[in-house]
Amino acid sequence: PVRFAENEPCSLLYLLFKLGDLSRFAKTDSIRIMRRDKNGRETEIQADAKALLQNGSPEDDIALENGDRVIVPVRKINIF
């Protein structure tokens, strides 16, 4: 888990800054944010961290909420 200080912005962009660099095997254009509503239903938010980091546009940033799970899938790599 990654925790944000009370005075720290809580968004996908700031999460990426806190983590430093993602693995070179991360599929950064297909990040999923899983969020539960008050009834326990889970919704999925798609995010393109690659574009977010390249453009750095605050309008494209996604606010994170307490309990969100951010899933970064792995790219498929062909060795042959």
Side-chain angles (χ1 to χ4, degrees):
V2 176
R3 300 198 187 280
F4 287 85
E6 193 172 311
N7 61 345
E8 204 174 12
C10 187
S11 69
L12 181 58
L13 188 59
Y14 279 90
L15 174 64
L16 295 171
F17 289 153
K18 272 180 97 77
L19 293 175
D21 200 11
L22 293 174
S23 165
R24 64 186 177 123
F25 301 112
K27 191 172 181 185
T28 56
D29 61 346
S30 299
I31 289 181
R32 297 179 355 228
I33 301 168
M34 306 305 292
R35 180 174 293 165
R36 287 197 188 277
D37 65 15
K38 62 182 178 184
N39 297 320
R41 288 183 296 236
E42 196 166 62
T43 58
E44 180 178 310
I45 302 165
Q46 293 285 328
D48 184 345
K50 184 177 181 179
L52 183 60
L53 288 170
Q54 284 176 348
N55 301 333
S57 177
E59 300 85 36
D60 297 331
D61 200 5
I62 299 171
L64 298 175
E65 295 179 5
N66 192 24
D68 281 355
R69 291 181 296 132
V70 179
I71 301 167
V72 182
V74 179
R75 284 189 296 133
K76 293 181 181 176
I77 300 172
N78 293 326
I79 298 176
F80 303 103

